[in-house]
Amino acid sequence: MPGVIWIAIAVLGALALVLAAGISRLRALSRRVGSFSCNARPTGNPEGSWTPGIAQYAVGRIEWWRCWSLSPRPARTWYRERLTVTGRTPLDPDERGQGDHYLVQCRYDGLDFELDLAAGDYFGLASWLEAAPPGRQDLVL
């Protein structure tokens, strides 16, 4: 019987370490300069579930991490010259239970996806895309 107790304590300890590592990762990502909350999902399923994430501006790209992951690398990287905003729709605050949010339709290398962004984060994304080097005028609809 004492062996079972030690195994249970070890399993609980391991779970506590994984949980602490996940919380620490989320805090570190959300405190980086240029980071913002950004939920994503593939286009085509309006009832599909959102994957919560944190995005961060980098030089010429946006890196996006899933919230509930321990990966040290971003799940997605979108380069500015290949990312296009094809549309945006204000989300109903009553439906979301939040303030001003936009459903932003994007295209990256021919694949369509949607982002759920707060209004300020959307305007930051649009400004970042419009600040691309000369020659790219089609990045924001």
Side-chain angles (χ1 to χ4, degrees), residues 7-80:
I7 291 173
I9 290 172
V11 168
L12 289 175
L15 288 174
L17 286 174
V18 168
L19 182 63
I23 291 170
S24 174
R25 177 182 171 273
L26 275 176
R27 287 178 56 108
L29 287 173
S30 65
R31 291 182 178 197
R32 288 182 176 178
V33 173
S35 66
F36 57 98
S37 177
C38 178
N39 302 322
R41 71 177 178 193
T43 298
N45 186 3
E47 299 302 318
S49 64
W50 291 99
T51 302
I54 296 174
Q56 178 189 11
Y57 295 108
V59 177
R61 67 186 185 279
I62 295 176
E63 296 176 336
W64 182 80
W65 286 268
R66 285 185 177 88
C67 279
W68 307 114
S69 170
L70 294 177
S71 175
R73 297 190 190 328
R76 303 276 185 270
T77 300
W78 300 305
Y79 290 90
R80 181 179 1 218

Side-chain angles (χ1 to χ4, degrees), residues 26-139:
L26 275 176
R27 287 178 56 108
L29 287 173
S30 65
R31 291 182 178 197
R32 288 182 176 178
V33 173
S35 66
F36 57 98
S37 177
C38 178
N39 302 322
R41 71 177 178 193
T43 298
N45 186 3
E47 299 302 318
S49 64
W50 291 99
T51 302
I54 296 174
Q56 178 189 11
Y57 295 108
V59 177
R61 67 186 185 279
I62 295 176
E63 296 176 336
W64 182 80
W65 286 268
R66 285 185 177 88
C67 279
W68 307 114
S69 170
L70 294 177
S71 175
R73 297 190 190 328
R76 303 276 185 270
T77 300
W78 300 305
Y79 290 90
R80 181 179 1 218
E81 63 271 3
R82 295 167 21 203
L83 177 64
T84 306
V85 172
T86 59
R88 70 177 169 132
T89 307
L91 293 174
D92 183 15
D94 295 332
E95 175 184 315
R96 300 268 311 152
Q98 299 175 343
D100 294 336
H101 269 251
Y102 285 100
L103 173 66
V104 181
Q105 293 88 20
C106 299
R107 179 170 291 135
Y108 184 78
D109 285 347
L111 297 175
D112 294 330
F113 61 97
E114 297 174 328
L115 301 175
D116 172 9
L117 297 171
D121 296 332
Y122 166 72
F123 295 127
L125 173 65
S127 295
W128 180 78
L129 286 171
E130 290 172 353
R136 288 297 312 264
Q137 305 298 324
D138 62 336
L139 297 174

